[in-house]
Amino acid sequence: MEQKKLCVIGDPVEHSLSPVIHNTILRHAGLPYEYGRVQVKAGDTEAFLRRAVREGYAGFNATMPHKTALVKLADELDADAKLYRAVNTVVLREGKIRGCNTDGRGFLQMLAESGISPQGRTVLVLGAGGAARAIVLKLAQSGAARIFVCNRTLSRAEALAEEFPAQITACPFDQQTLSDCALFSDLLINTTPMGMTAVADQFDSLAFLEQLPGGVPVCDIIYSPPETPLLCRAKELGHPTMNGLGMLIYQAIFALEEFTGTEIDAAAMMPSVKAALREAMGG
């Protein structure tokens, strides 16, 4: 049976673990698709989209810097892509270009796997970039009572707060504010690159974690390293912790369901996917 083509596009893209995740799932599910990486520079999004249609791709995922550009290029958008104004999954079917976003759903599913519901929670979110937007807006939609978004560029947090002003509060990113917000929070999420391997910019201090009430879950969407300094300190203080690997896997599973029109048993796939990722990441 001829294999249909899928891929992830981005710049850079060589570091992407998407092919490892997708091909592992496709192989175990017996689905006739192959998934690769294609480097596409900023400004070349539309040209690649035309090529994908011409070459018979079933679809593709998009990472930076293409997520925003694809919004205007799609014939239709799912509800999350409209809300986030960003597309990470493009389905090419029956001559139509459908833009989707699976990031928020992937994050919520990761929380659910750990028995965490956003309903009624006060959440402290560090950062206001693209990942933060998907996470914050999905948390607001899912019933979070209050979300503090702390960001160094306050205007970005303020723009995010405008979407759900009754629930989202924009805050500056300084030690006093972080400590004040932590006191009232029952879930903390880092969406910044601070703590990521090979990123020079790091937290000035993690003292704000000491203000979190006991037992509050701490999540860092970074997955390399598997345990960031933020998560190490949170664990020392007795907090349950999780990294972003679950979000990465679940958003890929939801994307594959969009591409293939097939429901995927995530629980059955998890052991194989995590094993493949450990091997790919050298651990």
Side-chain angles (χ1 to χ4, degrees), residues 237-259:
L237 292 167
H239 297 282
T241 61
M242 71 187 84
N243 66 22
L245 202 58
M247 176 182 176
L248 182 73
I249 295 169
Y250 279 117
Q251 65 85 14
I253 287 171
F254 292 137
L256 277 176
E257 289 182 335
E258 296 283 356
F259 292 142

Side-chain angles (χ1 to χ4, degrees), residues 91-203:
V91 180
L92 303 174
R93 189 179 294 140
E94 296 172 357
K96 292 282 187 184
I97 300 164
R98 184 167 185 263
C100 309
N101 196 305
T102 63
D103 284 336
R105 279 191 285 159
F107 183 79
L108 274 196
Q109 190 60 41
M110 180 179 74
L111 288 186
E113 189 183 49
S114 296
I116 299 169
S117 167
Q119 186 73 36
R121 286 187 184 262
T122 296
V123 189
L124 171 54
V125 176
L126 312 181
R133 183 176 178 83
I135 289 167
V136 168
L137 297 184
K138 184 56 82 173
L139 288 171
Q141 268 192 334
S142 303
R146 191 170 187 190
I147 306 167
F148 299 115
V149 179
C150 293
N151 197 57
R152 286 176 175 171
T153 306
L154 186 59
S155 59
R156 293 196 74 173
E158 288 171 339
L160 195 44
E162 287 173 4
E163 301 283 354
F164 289 90
Q167 293 159 277
I168 304 171
T169 302
C171 305
F173 196 102
D174 60 72
Q175 287 300 313
Q176 188 60 55
T177 304
L178 292 174
S179 294
D180 290 346
C181 292
L183 272 172
F184 299 100
S185 298
D186 44 27
L187 175 62
L188 187 151
I189 304 160
N190 177 45
T191 72
T192 78
M194 290 187 284
M196 189 182 291
T197 302
V199 170
D201 191 21
Q202 299 295 333
F203 285 98

